[in-house]
Structure formats: structure tokens, C-alpha cells
Amino acid sequence: MDYESLFAMLSEHGMESWSTLLKKQLDDYFISINHGDYPRWKELIETLPDLTPSKIDFNSASIVIGTDNDCSTEQQAFISQKLKSLMPWRKGPFNLFGINIDAEWQSNLKWDRLKDQIEPLNDKLILDIGCGNGYYGWRMLGQGAGYVVGFDPTLLFYMQFSAFKKYLPDAAIDIVPLGIQSLPRYPLCFDTVFSMGVIYHRRDPVEHLQQLINCLNPDGQLVLESLIIDSNDTDVLEPDGRYAKMNNVWAIPNVNTLTSWVKDAGFQDIRIIDVTKTGPDEQRVTEWMQFESLADYLDGKDENKTIEGYPAPVRAILVAYK
Ligand SMILES: C[S@@+](CC[C@H](N)C(=O)[O-])C[C@H]1O[C@@H](n2cnc3c(N)ncnc32)[C@H](O)[C@@H]1O
């Protein structure tokens, strides 16, 4: 992946030191990468046919890049087969040259819940921590974002993103296949920082929030999404073992606790903008994600409980300012 435009953009925005550091981190990462599937995935992206998308739409539920008129039937079948070998597709939907990638999550539903309740993204510099395959980043570009930088250490998601970026090499979006721990300790100057679906995977949630505040401009906005416990009786659930079959879920707060964590990290003007129980219309098994999904994580006899007996997944979205 060519990160030259990212490095240039960071330097233009007063983040020259980070640009230099990131270049070194990425060089080191790609030189020493030892993921067994990487050579196959890399070749797969390289062998996707060169095509020019005649249509782009980042504002529809399904992100559209190209139509079926842009390629032959054989090319479409070839691309579809290659994309299938990048399964599981967790976030979407996408439509690439007429191929409908129906991912496990209808991520458009979460986007619809937040898009009109956050600061306008026009020309803004955005950092999306735990960005997955970049679904939301493309939606941010649809809202006029100036540049989107995603961080996510899951290589598969980076490869999925690379399949789209191949067809839009000049798009103002990049994904860095590193975790939040690779961010520098010195301040950065993003206008909006997203952290969605990450905080409950971090051992120290307040430290996570402090890292996020450190990335923001003085008047920047945080958009935070978390699993929550929708009850005043439980301040925070620390699952004993798995939660909804997920490993590494350290703490699920109620909204009061989530708000106090955000306050403790130094944020102000904190607002909960949405609380929604995850349903089977939003997270489910599809042709593009054939493993288990929400229905398998819930108690077969009581959909209000996870299979471990905890409250079923409910998610909150919060906004706050530095
Ligand atoms: C539940 S998913 C959320 C994806 C997306 N933000 C969303 O809301 O749909 C959590 C994401 O965090 C990523 N992740 C895991 N550890 C991380 C870390 N240390 N830093 C940044 N992201 C991380 C995972 O790879 C995964 O894509």
C-alpha cells in the first residue's frame, strides 16, 4: 500500500514527527510481517483486474464502487471468487462492480444512528480507531471528510480494505494495520476521533480514552460506541470468561459509568446520542460470513440473555468534546 499521500497530509497538518514515526513503523511492520496468509492475500489483491469504476456512492447503505457494466461477466466472477477468499466479511455492506458483499453486520444501521448527531465532517481530519475494514471511513468520506485515517491490527480487515482502495487509489482514506498502542505519546491534531466497538476490549478503559483525547484538536469531538449494560443496578459488568462467546471483553459499563470514564479522561459536554439493543436484522450469518453470529450468542430460550447468562448486547453511542 502506498502511504505517501497520508504522510504528506500529516506533515501539512503539523504532524511531521508522527509522519516520520509512522513511516518507520509501517516499514518495520511490512518487512517483518509473518502472518501465514499474507503472501496469498497480497497476491490476491495484486491479481484483481485493473478496472475503472464508473460510479461511486458512499452515501447509500451499501458502499458502491463500480457497476457490473464496468467489467465482463468473467471478470466479475473472478473478483467475486477472490473476495470470497477474504471471508469472513464482518462489516458492510459493499457493492463492488455489481458484487453485493452482504457482511455479517448491517453497519449502515449504526451509521444512520449517529450521522446526524455528530459534528459535520466536512473537510475534517478523522481518526477511526478499530476501524475494521473501513466501512465507516468510506461513509465519512461520503459526508465530506477531508481525510480519514483508520487504525486496526487485524490484517484480514486491512486486506479487505485494500481490495477497494485498489480501485480508488486517490481516495482520502488509509488504514494502518496497527493497534492503538502504536500511536505516539505526544499530541496529535485530529478534528474527530471515532472509537466504536473497542473500549470494552481494552483492559484500562480510562487509559483508552486518554489516548483518544491526546489525538484531538482542542475543540475536537470524540464519537465513542460501546457495549453497555442497560440498567442502573449494575455499574459495570466484568464477565467471568466469555461474553456472547467473545474473548477479551474486560468491562461493560452502564451509561453512567461510561460517562464517568469519559469525564475522568478529561472530556466535557458529554452526551449519549443512542442506545440500541442489537437485533438479528443487524448482526447475522450471511453468504459472506458463514460462522456463528448473534443468534448463536444468545440463550435459545431467552433472547434477553447471552448464552453465558449475561444481559444480551445493547450498545450506546456517546459524543464528547476535548
Ligand atoms: C467490534 S470491532 C468494531 C469495528 C468497527 N469500529 C465497528 O464499530 O463496527 C473491534 C475492532 O477493533 C479492532 N482492534 C482490536 N484490537 C485493537 C487495538 N489494539 N487497537 C485498535 N483496534 C483494535 C479489531 O480488529 C476490530 O476490527
Side-chain angles (χ1 to χ4, degrees), residues 5 11 20 32 43 63 66 194 210-211 235 250 257 291 300 314 316 322:
S5 59
S11 298
T20 309
S32 59
E43 196 198 339
I63 288 162
F194 286 79
Q210 284 164 341
Q211 281 176 296
D235 291 337
W250 300 103
T257 304
F291 300 129
V314 175
K322 184 158 175 175

Side-chain angles (χ1 to χ4, degrees), residues 99-123:
I99 302 157
N100 181 30
I101 304 173
D102 184 15
E104 177 188 17
W105 284 85
Q106 291 278 96
S107 308
N108 51 298
L109 297 178
K110 182 154 82 187
W111 187 249
D112 287 345
R113 286 178 203 127
L114 67 85
K115 73 175 192 320
D116 297 324
Q117 307 221 52
I118 61 175
E119 287 289 328
L121 298 180
N122 304 60
D123 301 324

Side-chain angles (χ1 to χ4, degrees), residues 15-279:
M15 293 187 270
E16 187 125 37
S17 306
W18 188 38
S19 178
T20 309
L21 171 68
L22 198 52
K23 183 169 186 332
K24 178 161 185 342
Q25 288 174 320
L26 284 164
D27 285 348
D28 291 348
Y29 176 82
F30 283 108
I31 286 168
S32 59
I33 192 165
N34 64 358
H35 192 297
D37 289 314
Y38 181 64
R40 183 171 61 86
W41 288 341
K42 185 165 175 281
E43 196 198 339
L44 181 160
I45 305 291
E46 284 164 359
T47 55
L48 289 174
D50 288 328
L51 297 169
T52 306
S54 62
K55 180 183 171 194
I56 292 162
D57 188 354
F58 301 150
N59 285 320
S60 56
S62 184
I63 288 162
V64 177
I65 300 176
T67 73
D68 38 14
N69 291 329
D70 300 333
C71 58
S72 66
T73 313
E74 292 74 31
Q75 285 174 320
Q76 193 190 52
F78 180 82
I79 299 172
S80 178
Q81 181 219 335
K82 295 292 171 191
L83 295 179
K84 285 234 163 105
S85 44
L86 291 178
M87 292 202 306
W89 287 79
R90 299 275 176 199
K91 310 294 162 168
F94 294 91
N95 192 297
L96 184 68
F97 298 116
I99 302 157
N100 181 30
I101 304 173
D102 184 15
E104 177 188 17
W105 284 85
Q106 291 278 96
S107 308
N108 51 298
L109 297 178
K110 182 154 82 187
W111 187 249
D112 287 345
R113 286 178 203 127
L114 67 85
K115 73 175 192 320
D116 297 324
Q117 307 221 52
I118 61 175
E119 287 289 328
L121 298 180
N122 304 60
D123 301 324
K124 297 274 175 69
L125 204 53
I126 318 281
L127 181 64
D128 184 4
I129 295 295
C131 61
N133 64 15
Y135 174 87
Y136 294 107
W138 296 108
R139 300 299 308 262
M140 292 169 204
L141 288 186
Q143 299 282 298
Y147 211 110
V148 180
V149 185
F151 261 64
D152 200 299
T154 304
L155 186 61
L156 176 66
F157 302 155
Y158 167 78
M159 301 313 293
Q160 292 175 349
F161 169 76
S162 302
F164 303 120
K165 188 77 196 286
K166 174 169 177 133
Y167 293 108
L168 294 173
D170 298 329
I173 177 169
D174 281 296
I175 289 185
V176 172
L178 300 173
I180 188 171
Q181 56 281 8
S182 300
L183 288 174
R185 299 255 163 228
Y186 46 79
L188 301 178
C189 38
F190 286 88
D191 300 304
T192 307
V193 172
F194 286 79
S195 163
M196 303 197 290
V198 178
I199 191 167
Y200 47 86
H201 288 306
R202 306 301 295 161
R203 270 176 200 263
D204 185 339
V206 176
E207 188 200 34
H208 176 68
L209 293 161
Q210 284 164 341
Q211 281 176 296
L212 300 177
I213 205 170
N214 197 41
C215 298
L216 275 170
N217 268 330
D219 55 356
Q221 188 180 47
L222 167 73
V223 181
L224 178 73
E225 191 240 23
S226 179
L227 281 169
I228 56 146
I229 297 300
D230 197 12
S231 157
N232 287 333
D233 299 337
T234 308
D235 291 337
V236 56
L237 169 72
E238 293 180 2
D240 184 14
R242 293 181 176 224
Y243 171 84
K245 293 200 182 173
M246 269 186 287
N247 268 326
N248 299 330
V249 174
W250 300 103
I252 307 179
N254 67 9
V255 285
N256 295 334
T257 304
L258 185 66
T259 305
S260 340
W261 289 346
V262 173
K263 203 167 168 201
D264 290 349
F267 287 96
Q268 51 187 333
D269 296 337
I270 304 164
R271 252 180 334 117
I272 301 284
I273 58 170
D274 184 74
V275 173
T276 299
K277 182 169 187 246
T278 306

